[in-house]
C-alpha cells in the first residue's frame, strides 16, 4: 500500500528517536511527537492516499481474470486494445472502492467481485465518473435470499437506496454474465437503477404499455421468467431495458431504435459499434484521448 511506504520513514525516525532518547540523549524525546503526528495523519488519510496513488497508477488485472472478461463479457471482447486496458484498470479500481460483505459464506469469491465490477464498469465506461459513490456497499449471498425489506421472498437482487446497498445472489449474477442469452443480468439491472438514482436529471426514455412485448422480442425471455428470476413483485422496466441495451444491443436497436439513441447519448457509448463504441461527444472525450 502506498500509505505504508509513505509511513516507513516516519516509523524509522520514531524508532531512532526512541532509541536515542532512551540510551543516549533525552532531548531526542522532543522529536517523537512530530513523528507520531505524521503517522496519525497518514493513518487517518490512508484511504484517500491509496486511492489517489492507484488512480494515478492503476494496477493491472490478473491474467486469469482478464481472460474471463475476454471470454464472457461481450462488451469487453469488442473493445480495442487501448480501451480494453482502460476497462481492466477501471475494474480493478472499482473492486478496490467497494465494501464487499459476504452473507452465507466466509468471503466474497474474487471472481464474483470482478464479475460485479465488470458489469458496473461497462455501464459507466463512457462516463468520466465510473464509480457509484452512493452505492458502495455490496452484499453478496451464494443463492437467492430473504432480506429485512422482503423477509418472505427469496430474491436474486435488491437495491436499498437509503443505506446505499446493492444485494446480489452469486448464483444468478454469475449465470447472467456467463450465459447472457439464457439468463437475465441482475447486476446490470441493479446498477441501471443505481445510475438513474445517481443522475435523476437525465432525460431517460419513456416506454408505452406494450414495452414488455418489445423487451421479450429483444431478449427472448418472457416477462414471467424475468420477474421470477429477480424474485420481487415490483420491477423497474426502465432498468430492465438498460440491461438489455448492453447485453443485446443489436436486437434492442432494431426493436426500440428511439430508446436506443437516447440511451447511447445518456451513457455516451454505442454498444453496437464494435471497434470504437464510445460516442464522440464534446466534454466526454476521456477515452479517446488518454
Amino acid at each position: 500500500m502506498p500509505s505504508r511506504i509513505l509511513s516507513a520513514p516516519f516509523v524509522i525516525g520514531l524508532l531512532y528517536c526512541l532509541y536515542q532518547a532512551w540510551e543516549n540523549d533525552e532531548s531526542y524525546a522532543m522529536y517523537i511527537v512530530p513523528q507520531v503526528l505524521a503517522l496519525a495523519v497518514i493513518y487517518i488519510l490512508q484511504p484517500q492516499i491509496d486511492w489517489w496513488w492507484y488512480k494515478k497508477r492503476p494496477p493491472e488485472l490478473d491474467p486469469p481474470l482478464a481472460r474471463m472478461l475476454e471470454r464472457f463479457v461481450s462488451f469487453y471482447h469488442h473493445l480495442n486494445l487501448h480501451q480494453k486496458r482502460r476497462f481492466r484498470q477501471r475494474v480493478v479500481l472499482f473492486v478496490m472502492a467497494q465494501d464487499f460483505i459476504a452473507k452465507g459464506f466466509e468471503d466474497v469469491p474474487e471472481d464474483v467481485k470482478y464479475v460485479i465490477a465488470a458489469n458496473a464498469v461497462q455501464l459507466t465506461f463512457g462516463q468520466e465518473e465510473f464509480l457509484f459513490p452512493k452505492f458502495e456497499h455490496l452484499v453478496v449471498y451464494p443463492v437467492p435470499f430473504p432480506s429485512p425489506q422482503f423477509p418472505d421472498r427469496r430474491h436474486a437482487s435488491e437495491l436499498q437506496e437509503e443505506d446505499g446497498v446493492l444485494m446480489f445472489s452469486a448464483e444468478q449474477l454469475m449465470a447472467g454474465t456467463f450465459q447472457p442469452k439464457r439468463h437475465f443480468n441482475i447486476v446490470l439491472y441493479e446498477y441501471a437503477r443505481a445510475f438513474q438514482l445517481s443522475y435523476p436529471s437525465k432525460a431517460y426514455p419513456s416506454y408505452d404499455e406494450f414495452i414488455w412485448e418489445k423487451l421479450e422480442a429483444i431478449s427472448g425471455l418472457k416477462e414471467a421468467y424475468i420477474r421470477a428470476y429477480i424474485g420481487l413483485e415490483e420491477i423497474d422496466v426502465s432498468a430492465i431495458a438498460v440491461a438489455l441495451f448492453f447485453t443485446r444491443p443489436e436486437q434492442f436497436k432494431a426493436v426500440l431504435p428511439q430508446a436506443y439513441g437516447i440511451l447511447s447519448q445518456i451513457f455516451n457509448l454505442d454498444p453496437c459499434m464494435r471497434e470504437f463504441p464510445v460516442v464522440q461527444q464534446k466534454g466526454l472525450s476521456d477515452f479517446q484521448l488518454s
Side-chain angles (χ1 to χ4, degrees), residues 99-165:
D99 174 27
F100 286 96
I101 304 167
K103 295 288 187 178
F105 39 32
E106 187 174 350
D107 295 303
V108 178
E110 289 299 301
D111 57 344
V112 172
K113 291 180 182 180
Y114 284 94
V115 163
I116 293 173
N119 281 293
V121 166
Q122 67 178 291
L123 194 144
T124 57
F125 192 63
Q127 312 293 321
E128 184 175 355
E129 174 55 70
F130 65 95
L131 299 176
F132 293 82
K134 295 181 180 179
F135 298 93
E136 293 185 341
H137 306 291
L138 305 182
V139 179
V140 182
Y141 293 80
V143 294
F145 53 90
S147 69
Q149 283 71 22
F150 304 98
D152 300 324
R153 298 186 68 92
R154 290 188 173 273
H155 48 289
S157 66
E158 184 181 335
L159 181 150
Q160 297 178 3
E161 183 179 3
E162 289 186 3
D163 298 324
V165 173

Side-chain angles (χ1 to χ4, degrees), residues 3-289:
S3 56
R4 294 181 182 178
I5 297 174
L6 184 61
S7 299
F10 297 102
V11 172
I12 295 171
L14 176 62
L15 294 175
Y16 177 78
C17 292
L18 286 170
Y19 174 80
Q20 292 294 338
W22 183 265
E23 295 289 340
N24 299 318
D25 187 349
E26 292 182 357
S27 65
Y28 274 89
M30 64 182 296
Y31 299 109
I32 293 175
V33 174
Q35 311 284 346
V36 172
L37 289 176
L39 289 171
V41 170
I42 294 172
Y43 176 79
I44 293 171
L45 298 178
Q46 177 183 347
Q48 292 86 344
I49 293 170
D50 292 341
W51 182 250
W52 173 84
W53 176 269
Y54 286 124
K55 282 195 71 175
K56 294 291 184 181
R57 298 166 180 79
E60 184 53 83
L61 186 64
D62 290 342
L65 294 170
R67 289 193 293 270
M68 180 182 71
L69 295 182
E70 187 72 43
R71 181 178 179 185
F72 294 110
V73 181
S74 177
F75 182 90
Y76 172 82
H77 178 76
H78 291 104
L79 296 175
N80 61 39
L81 291 178
H82 172 72
Q83 291 173 324
K84 283 183 177 180
R85 179 172 179 268
R86 192 173 193 88
F87 190 97
R88 293 192 304 269
Q89 291 174 342
R90 286 195 163 194
V91 165
V92 174
L93 291 173
F94 191 94
V95 170
M96 293 174 57
Q98 307 312 301
D99 174 27
F100 286 96
I101 304 167
K103 295 288 187 178
F105 39 32
E106 187 174 350
D107 295 303
V108 178
E110 289 299 301
D111 57 344
V112 172
K113 291 180 182 180
Y114 284 94
V115 163
I116 293 173
N119 281 293
V121 166
Q122 67 178 291
L123 194 144
T124 57
F125 192 63
Q127 312 293 321
E128 184 175 355
E129 174 55 70
F130 65 95
L131 299 176
F132 293 82
K134 295 181 180 179
F135 298 93
E136 293 185 341
H137 306 291
L138 305 182
V139 179
V140 182
Y141 293 80
V143 294
F145 53 90
S147 69
Q149 283 71 22
F150 304 98
D152 300 324
R153 298 186 68 92
R154 290 188 173 273
H155 48 289
S157 66
E158 184 181 335
L159 181 150
Q160 297 178 3
E161 183 179 3
E162 289 186 3
D163 298 324
V165 173
L166 295 178
M167 307 171 73
F168 298 106
S169 160
E171 181 181 40
Q172 275 67 30
L173 77 86
M174 298 297 273
T177 300
F178 291 168
Q179 297 177 303
K181 302 303 182 184
R182 296 179 56 188
H183 302 290
F184 181 69
N185 192 312
I186 59 171
V187 184
L188 281 173
Y189 168 72
E190 295 297 355
Y191 273 109
R193 297 178 66 202
F195 188 94
Q196 292 169 356
L197 291 169
S198 300
Y199 305 99
S201 63
K202 291 184 179 292
Y204 297 97
S206 57
Y207 301 102
D208 60 28
E209 66 271 23
F210 304 107
I211 184 57
W212 273 111
E213 295 178 13
K214 297 172 184 176
L215 295 178
E216 288 179 11
I218 292 168
S219 65
L221 303 174
K222 297 292 186 181
E223 175 185 354
Y225 172 82
I226 294 177
R227 289 184 177 276
Y229 197 79
I230 295 172
L232 295 176
E233 291 183 358
E234 293 187 11
I235 301 296
D236 187 335
V237 175
S238 62
I240 297 284
V242 170
L244 298 179
F245 170 79
F246 282 95
T247 57
R248 293 166 173 81
E250 292 86 0
Q251 296 92 326
F252 194 104
K253 189 173 185 179
V255 176
L256 293 169
Q258 184 176 1
Y260 186 92
I262 295 172
L263 292 176
S264 293
Q265 291 298 315
I266 288 174
F267 294 107
N268 191 36
L269 55 83
D270 182 347
C272 278
M273 294 178 64
R274 295 310 189 186
E275 292 300 322
F276 201 77
V278 178
V279 174
Q280 299 285 349
Q281 193 174 49
K282 184 177 180 182
L284 289 171
S285 58
D286 176 49
F287 306 103
Q288 294 93 315
L289 301 179

